[in-house]
Amino acid sequence: VDDEPVILNSLKAQLKAAFGDNYLYETAESAEEALELLDELQEDDLEIVIIVSDWLMPDMKGDELLIQVHQKYPRIVKIMLTGQAAPESIQRATELAHLHSCLYKPWSEEELIKTINSALDKL
């Protein structure tokens, strides 16, 4: 989840290169779009295992999105990817959304894959 399509495309390409067709990769450009997508995937009986969200987005910040996701889908592993999250927002997401990890932009592909693998190990 990121309001910048170039970030979404980059993440999706890196994840597909690392994990291939083992997973489906969905993107959303806003928190609202992400929540709708999660509901649709759930209705289609698809298991959502990980969500990666930016923090600074219009309308709803990433920590609030991840808290809402956790309340509705507590088993999804939550990761924040940000260039400018306030430390208190990261702490809030850690406490209220059980944030797995926070990556900082610009991220390295190696760091991203290592974080995703550690998230998958939690499942």
Side-chain angles (χ1 to χ4, degrees):
V1 183
D2 199 299
D3 58 323
E4 296 181 52
V6 68
I7 299 284
L8 294 175
N9 292 337
S10 180
L11 283 170
K12 193 172 188 176
Q14 289 176 357
L15 293 171
K16 276 194 119 162
F19 300 102
D21 293 330
N22 294 327
Y23 300 96
L24 294 174
Y25 309 93
E26 296 286 346
T27 60
E29 292 184 24
S30 70
E32 182 177 299
E33 184 182 339
L35 292 169
E36 289 174 12
L37 181 60
L38 289 171
D39 289 342
E40 289 172 15
L41 294 170
Q42 192 72 18
E43 286 172 15
D44 291 343
D45 288 329
L46 292 171
E47 182 184 7
I48 305 132
V49 292
I50 298 172
I51 183 170
V52 178
S53 176
D54 186 20
W55 177 72
L56 185 59
M57 298 183 290
D59 301 322
M60 185 188 302
K61 300 282 188 269
D63 58 328
E64 184 58 39
L65 167 63
L66 295 178
I67 290 166
Q68 286 189 31
V69 168
H70 183 69
Q71 289 170 345
K72 196 164 188 179
Y73 307 106
R75 296 186 67 216
I76 295 176
V77 179
K78 289 143 301 273
I79 298 169
M80 193 180 301
L81 176 66
T82 184
Q84 47 197 320
E88 58 271 9
S89 296
I90 295 169
Q91 184 63 34
R92 193 169 115 82
T94 300
E95 292 172 4
L96 300 177
H98 295 168
L99 185 68
H100 172 69
S101 185
C102 184
L103 298 173
Y104 294 91
K105 295 177 183 176
W107 70 92
S108 72
E109 186 170 347
E110 180 182 332
E111 180 184 35
L112 173 68
I113 302 311
K114 183 179 172 185
T115 301
I116 297 295
N117 276 321
S118 73
L120 291 170
D121 288 344
K122 289 181 72 170
L123 302 176

